[in-house]
Tab-separated table of all heavy atoms in Angstrom:
chain	number	residue	atom	x	y	z
A	1	LEU	N	8.327	183.356	72.410
A	1	LEU	CA	7.046	182.672	72.622
A	1	LEU	C	7.181	181.538	73.639
A	1	LEU	O	6.244	181.280	74.417
A	1	LEU	CB	6.508	182.140	71.298
A	1	LEU	CG	5.939	183.203	70.348
A	1	LEU	CD1	5.682	182.609	68.972
A	1	LEU	CD2	4.658	183.824	70.912
A	2	GLU	N	8.325	180.882	73.668
A	2	GLU	CA	8.552	179.841	74.675
A	2	GLU	C	8.528	180.424	76.083
A	2	GLU	O	7.967	179.822	77.014
A	2	GLU	CB	9.897	179.151	74.424
A	2	GLU	CG	9.918	178.241	73.217
A	2	GLU	CD	11.293	177.656	72.968
A	2	GLU	OE1	12.193	177.845	73.828
A	2	GLU	OE2	11.487	177.018	71.905
A	3	ILE	N	9.112	181.604	76.259
A	3	ILE	CA	9.097	182.258	77.574
A	3	ILE	C	7.673	182.659	77.952
A	3	ILE	O	7.248	182.496	79.102
A	3	ILE	CB	10.044	183.478	77.557
A	3	ILE	CG1	11.500	182.999	77.515
A	3	ILE	CG2	9.803	184.376	78.775
A	3	ILE	CD1	12.508	184.107	77.387
A	4	VAL	N	6.936	183.164	76.985
A	4	VAL	CA	5.539	183.529	77.245
A	4	VAL	C	4.739	182.305	77.671
A	4	VAL	O	3.939	182.357	78.615
A	4	VAL	CB	4.909	184.184	75.995
A	4	VAL	CG1	3.414	184.385	76.182
A	4	VAL	CG2	5.590	185.515	75.701
A	5	GLU	N	4.956	181.185	77.007
A	5	GLU	CA	4.240	179.957	77.344
A	5	GLU	C	4.565	179.511	78.764
A	5	GLU	O	3.703	179.003	79.499
A	5	GLU	CB	4.593	178.861	76.344
A	5	GLU	CG	3.939	177.510	76.617
A	5	GLU	CD	2.424	177.556	76.598
A	5	GLU	OE1	1.841	178.431	75.910
A	5	GLU	OE2	1.808	176.717	77.292
A	6	TYR	N	5.803	179.693	79.193
A	6	TYR	CA	6.209	179.311	80.547
A	6	TYR	C	5.600	180.247	81.592
A	6	TYR	O	5.092	179.805	82.627
A	6	TYR	CB	7.735	179.319	80.653
A	6	TYR	CG	8.249	179.051	82.049
A	6	TYR	CD1	8.254	177.754	82.569
A	6	TYR	CD2	8.717	180.090	82.854
A	6	TYR	CE1	8.716	177.507	83.855
A	6	TYR	CE2	9.180	179.858	84.132
A	6	TYR	CZ	9.180	178.559	84.637
A	6	TYR	OH	9.624	178.320	85.910
A	7	LEU	N	5.620	181.550	81.323
A	7	LEU	CA	5.177	182.529	82.317
A	7	LEU	C	3.666	182.727	82.331
A	7	LEU	O	3.104	183.075	83.365
A	7	LEU	CB	5.870	183.874	82.056
A	7	LEU	CG	7.382	183.902	82.246
A	7	LEU	CD1	7.929	185.265	81.836
A	7	LEU	CD2	7.749	183.599	83.691
A	8	LYS	N	3.044	182.599	81.174
A	8	LYS	CA	1.599	182.769	81.034
A	8	LYS	C	1.080	184.110	81.606
A	8	LYS	O	0.152	184.141	82.424
A	8	LYS	CB	0.852	181.605	81.691
A	8	LYS	CG	1.093	180.267	81.002
A	8	LYS	CD	0.316	179.157	81.655
A	8	LYS	CE	0.357	177.836	80.909
A	8	LYS	NZ	1.432	177.584	79.988
A	9	PRO	N	1.675	185.225	81.182
A	9	PRO	CA	1.103	186.522	81.569
A	9	PRO	C	-0.260	186.709	80.910
A	9	PRO	O	-0.570	186.048	79.908
A	9	PRO	CB	2.118	187.526	81.038
A	9	PRO	CG	2.764	186.819	79.893
A	9	PRO	CD	2.791	185.369	80.249
A	10	GLU	N	-1.063	187.624	81.448
A	10	GLU	CA	-2.361	187.889	80.828
A	10	GLU	C	-2.199	188.470	79.424
A	10	GLU	O	-2.953	188.137	78.510
A	10	GLU	CB	-3.176	188.834	81.710
A	10	GLU	CG	-3.615	188.219	83.034
A	10	GLU	CD	-4.466	189.169	83.849
A	10	GLU	OE1	-4.996	190.163	83.289
A	10	GLU	OE2	-4.597	188.933	85.067
A	11	GLN	N	-1.213	189.344	79.255
A	11	GLN	CA	-0.973	189.979	77.958
A	11	GLN	C	0.520	190.184	77.775
A	11	GLN	O	1.218	190.577	78.713
A	11	GLN	CB	-1.691	191.323	77.869
A	11	GLN	CG	-1.418	192.114	76.599
A	11	GLN	CD	-1.978	191.450	75.354
A	11	GLN	OE1	-3.134	191.015	75.335
A	11	GLN	NE2	-1.178	191.354	74.300
A	12	THR	N	1.004	189.930	76.569
A	12	THR	CA	2.412	190.149	76.237
A	12	THR	C	2.513	191.066	75.033
A	12	THR	O	1.725	190.953	74.081
A	12	THR	CB	3.113	188.813	75.916
A	12	THR	OG1	3.070	187.968	77.064
A	12	THR	CG2	4.573	189.047	75.524
A	13	TYR	N	3.495	191.957	75.084
A	13	TYR	CA	3.833	192.800	73.932
A	13	TYR	C	5.302	192.585	73.602
A	13	TYR	O	6.164	192.705	74.476
A	13	TYR	CB	3.585	194.277	74.236
A	13	TYR	CG	2.131	194.621	74.421
A	13	TYR	CD1	1.586	194.681	75.698
A	13	TYR	CD2	1.302	194.882	73.334
A	13	TYR	CE1	0.246	194.990	75.889
A	13	TYR	CE2	-0.033	195.193	73.511
A	13	TYR	CZ	-0.552	195.251	74.792
A	13	TYR	OH	-1.880	195.550	74.975
A	14	PHE	N	5.596	192.279	72.343
A	14	PHE	CA	6.975	192.129	71.906
A	14	PHE	C	7.511	193.475	71.413
A	14	PHE	O	6.800	194.251	70.758
A	14	PHE	CB	7.082	191.099	70.787
A	14	PHE	CG	6.849	189.685	71.246
A	14	PHE	CD1	6.259	188.759	70.394
A	14	PHE	CD2	7.246	189.264	72.506
A	14	PHE	CE1	6.053	187.445	70.800
A	14	PHE	CE2	7.051	187.963	72.926
A	14	PHE	CZ	6.447	187.050	72.069
A	15	THR	N	8.785	193.714	71.727
A	15	THR	CA	9.439	194.965	71.352
A	15	THR	C	10.864	194.683	70.909
A	15	THR	O	11.277	193.539	70.775
A	15	THR	CB	9.382	195.970	72.523
A	15	THR	OG1	9.784	197.264	72.061
A	15	THR	CG2	10.282	195.532	73.678
A	16	HIS	N	11.639	195.734	70.664
A	16	HIS	CA	13.014	195.636	70.139
A	16	HIS	C	13.010	194.789	68.871
A	16	HIS	O	13.692	193.773	68.760
A	16	HIS	CB	13.971	195.075	71.188
A	16	HIS	CG	15.399	195.533	70.965
A	16	HIS	ND1	16.172	195.064	69.944
A	16	HIS	CD2	16.156	196.426	71.639
A	16	HIS	CE1	17.367	195.627	69.990
A	16	HIS	NE2	17.379	196.474	71.017
A	17	ILE	N	12.227	195.242	67.913
A	17	ILE	CA	11.892	194.481	66.707
A	17	ILE	C	12.726	194.955	65.520
A	17	ILE	O	12.842	196.145	65.269
A	17	ILE	CB	10.388	194.645	66.418
A	17	ILE	CG1	9.569	193.946	67.517
A	17	ILE	CG2	10.021	194.109	65.039
A	17	ILE	CD1	8.108	194.328	67.519
A	18	SER	N	13.270	194.004	64.793
A	18	SER	CA	14.029	194.269	63.575
A	18	SER	C	13.115	194.187	62.358
A	18	SER	O	12.071	193.525	62.387
A	18	SER	CB	15.161	193.246	63.450
A	18	SER	OG	15.640	193.154	62.126
A	19	HIS	N	13.548	194.831	61.271
A	19	HIS	CA	12.805	194.686	60.023
A	19	HIS	C	12.763	193.240	59.552
A	19	HIS	O	11.877	192.840	58.810
A	19	HIS	CB	13.405	195.590	58.935
A	19	HIS	CG	14.836	195.299	58.592
A	19	HIS	ND1	15.870	195.432	59.500
A	19	HIS	CD2	15.413	194.872	57.439
A	19	HIS	CE1	17.010	195.112	58.917
A	19	HIS	NE2	16.761	194.762	57.672
A	20	HIS	N	13.716	192.422	60.021
A	20	HIS	CA	13.753	191.013	59.618
A	20	HIS	C	12.637	190.189	60.259
A	20	HIS	O	12.416	189.044	59.844
A	20	HIS	CB	15.105	190.395	59.959
A	20	HIS	CG	16.237	190.918	59.123
A	20	HIS	ND1	16.273	190.781	57.751
A	20	HIS	CD2	17.357	191.594	59.473
A	20	HIS	CE1	17.380	191.337	57.282
A	20	HIS	NE2	18.046	191.845	58.302
A	21	LEU	N	11.928	190.741	61.248
A	21	LEU	CA	10.783	190.021	61.796
A	21	LEU	C	9.644	189.967	60.779
A	21	LEU	O	8.877	189.004	60.736
A	21	LEU	CB	10.306	190.675	63.093
A	21	LEU	CG	9.191	189.936	63.834
A	21	LEU	CD1	9.649	188.550	64.278
A	21	LEU	CD2	8.713	190.746	65.045
A	22	GLY	N	9.526	191.007	59.961
A	22	GLY	CA	8.475	191.042	58.954
A	22	GLY	C	7.524	192.196	59.169
A	22	GLY	O	7.704	193.024	60.079
A	23	PHE	N	6.488	192.260	58.346
A	23	PHE	CA	5.503	193.330	58.439
A	23	PHE	C	4.686	193.180	59.723
A	23	PHE	O	4.253	192.082	60.072
A	23	PHE	CB	4.565	193.298	57.228
A	23	PHE	CG	5.222	193.649	55.935
A	23	PHE	CD1	5.539	192.653	55.013
A	23	PHE	CD2	5.533	194.962	55.631
A	23	PHE	CE1	6.147	192.966	53.812
A	23	PHE	CE2	6.146	195.293	54.426
A	23	PHE	CZ	6.459	194.297	53.517
A	24	HIS	N	4.477	194.304	60.400
A	24	HIS	CA	3.771	194.293	61.673
A	24	HIS	C	2.447	193.552	61.592
A	24	HIS	O	2.174	192.628	62.380
A	24	HIS	CB	3.542	195.729	62.158
A	24	HIS	CG	2.814	195.802	63.464
A	24	HIS	ND1	1.451	195.635	63.568
A	24	HIS	CD2	3.253	196.023	64.721
A	24	HIS	CE1	1.085	195.740	64.838
A	24	HIS	NE2	2.164	195.979	65.549
A	25	ASP	N	1.585	193.941	60.673
A	25	ASP	CA	0.235	193.382	60.630
A	25	ASP	C	0.242	191.884	60.326
A	25	ASP	O	-0.566	191.130	60.878
A	25	ASP	CB	-0.615	194.124	59.596
A	25	ASP	CG	-0.961	195.534	60.040
A	25	ASP	OD1	-0.717	195.876	61.219
A	25	ASP	OD2	-1.473	196.310	59.192
A	26	GLU	N	1.148	191.449	59.463
A	26	GLU	CA	1.210	190.030	59.107
A	26	GLU	C	1.670	189.179	60.286
A	26	GLU	O	1.093	188.117	60.563
A	26	GLU	CB	2.141	189.827	57.910
A	26	GLU	CG	1.613	190.406	56.606
A	26	GLU	CD	2.543	190.155	55.437
A	26	GLU	OE1	3.564	189.435	55.624
A	26	GLU	OE2	2.265	190.664	54.337
A	27	ILE	N	2.715	189.617	60.976
A	27	ILE	CA	3.237	188.846	62.113
A	27	ILE	C	2.251	188.898	63.279
A	27	ILE	O	1.972	187.880	63.928
A	27	ILE	CB	4.618	189.368	62.540
A	27	ILE	CG1	5.621	189.230	61.386
A	27	ILE	CG2	5.110	188.620	63.778
A	27	ILE	CD1	5.841	187.816	60.906
A	28	ASP	N	1.701	190.067	63.550
A	28	ASP	CA	0.783	190.216	64.673
A	28	ASP	C	-0.424	189.290	64.524
A	28	ASP	O	-0.903	188.711	65.510
A	28	ASP	CB	0.328	191.678	64.775
A	28	ASP	CG	-0.347	191.993	66.090
A	28	ASP	OD1	0.318	191.911	67.143
A	28	ASP	OD2	-1.553	192.329	66.082
A	29	ALA	N	-0.913	189.121	63.312
A	29	ALA	CA	-2.081	188.273	63.066
A	29	ALA	C	-1.787	186.796	63.310
A	29	ALA	O	-2.722	186.008	63.528
A	29	ALA	CB	-2.573	188.471	61.638
A	30	GLN	N	-0.517	186.410	63.297
A	30	GLN	CA	-0.140	185.008	63.479
A	30	GLN	C	0.136	184.650	64.940
A	30	GLN	O	0.317	183.472	65.266
A	30	GLN	CB	1.111	184.693	62.651
A	30	GLN	CG	0.948	184.892	61.157
A	30	GLN	CD	2.267	184.786	60.415
A	30	GLN	OE1	3.191	184.103	60.850
A	30	GLN	NE2	2.364	185.462	59.285
A	31	LEU	N	0.173	185.627	65.823
A	31	LEU	CA	0.556	185.387	67.210
A	31	LEU	C	-0.601	184.793	68.008
A	31	LEU	O	-1.773	185.015	67.681
A	31	LEU	CB	1.039	186.683	67.854
A	31	LEU	CG	2.311	187.286	67.248
A	31	LEU	CD1	2.628	188.626	67.895
A	31	LEU	CD2	3.497	186.320	67.391
A	32	PRO	N	-0.287	184.059	69.074
A	32	PRO	CA	-1.347	183.470	69.907
A	32	PRO	C	-2.194	184.553	70.588
A	32	PRO	O	-1.786	185.714	70.687
A	32	PRO	CB	-0.568	182.659	70.951
A	32	PRO	CG	0.816	182.531	70.425
A	32	PRO	CD	1.064	183.709	69.548
A	33	ASP	N	-3.349	184.144	71.079
A	33	ASP	CA	-4.183	185.070	71.847
A	33	ASP	C	-3.398	185.606	73.037
A	33	ASP	O	-2.671	184.863	73.714
A	33	ASP	CB	-5.439	184.356	72.355
A	33	ASP	CG	-6.410	184.014	71.237
A	33	ASP	OD1	-6.269	184.577	70.128
A	33	ASP	OD2	-7.305	183.183	71.478
A	34	GLY	N	-3.543	186.886	73.297
A	34	GLY	CA	-2.846	187.490	74.428
A	34	GLY	C	-1.419	187.886	74.138
A	34	GLY	O	-0.695	188.304	75.043
A	35	VAL	N	-0.980	187.750	72.874
A	35	VAL	CA	0.377	188.147	72.475
A	35	VAL	C	0.262	189.057	71.262
A	35	VAL	O	-0.409	188.713	70.284
A	35	VAL	CB	1.254	186.932	72.136
A	35	VAL	CG1	2.670	187.386	71.767
A	35	VAL	CG2	1.303	185.947	73.304
A	36	ASN	N	0.913	190.212	71.342
A	36	ASN	CA	0.891	191.165	70.227
A	36	ASN	C	2.245	191.810	70.052
A	36	ASN	O	3.048	191.872	70.989
A	36	ASN	CB	-0.143	192.266	70.470
A	36	ASN	CG	-1.565	191.757	70.440
A	36	ASN	OD1	-2.157	191.512	71.489
A	36	ASN	ND2	-2.127	191.575	69.256
A	37	LEU	N	2.501	192.304	68.845
A	37	LEU	CA	3.650	193.171	68.627
A	37	LEU	C	3.301	194.560	69.137
A	37	LEU	O	2.224	195.091	68.854
A	37	LEU	CB	3.994	193.259	67.140
A	37	LEU	CG	4.387	191.974	66.410
A	37	LEU	CD1	4.824	192.316	64.991
A	37	LEU	CD2	5.482	191.225	67.151
A	38	ALA	N	4.210	195.154	69.885
A	38	ALA	CA	4.050	196.561	70.246
A	38	ALA	C	4.387	197.415	69.028
A	38	ALA	O	4.990	196.943	68.060
A	38	ALA	CB	4.962	196.916	71.410
A	39	TYR	N	4.002	198.665	69.081
A	39	TYR	CA	4.365	199.619	68.037
A	39	TYR	C	4.515	200.988	68.669
A	39	TYR	O	4.001	201.261	69.765
A	39	TYR	CB	3.323	199.640	66.911
A	39	TYR	CG	1.896	199.886	67.352
A	39	TYR	CD1	1.388	201.179	67.477
A	39	TYR	CD2	1.050	198.816	67.645
A	39	TYR	CE1	0.086	201.396	67.881
A	39	TYR	CE2	-0.257	199.027	68.048
A	39	TYR	CZ	-0.738	200.324	68.166
A	39	TYR	OH	-2.024	200.544	68.579
A	40	ASP	N	5.243	201.848	68.007
A	40	ASP	CA	5.529	203.177	68.546
A	40	ASP	C	4.238	203.937	68.830
A	40	ASP	O	3.309	203.934	68.015
A	40	ASP	CB	6.385	203.980	67.569
A	40	ASP	CG	7.803	203.450	67.455
A	40	ASP	OD1	8.045	202.304	67.883
A	40	ASP	OD2	8.665	204.181	66.924
């Protein structure tokens, strides 16, 4: 998220995700506008 804040792309998708990040829907709902978890 710090890198995203520095670069300020229009849209970011996070990938290479471990189960330790948490449930997709719960984490995705907490992310800033313009940032989402990718999914298969």
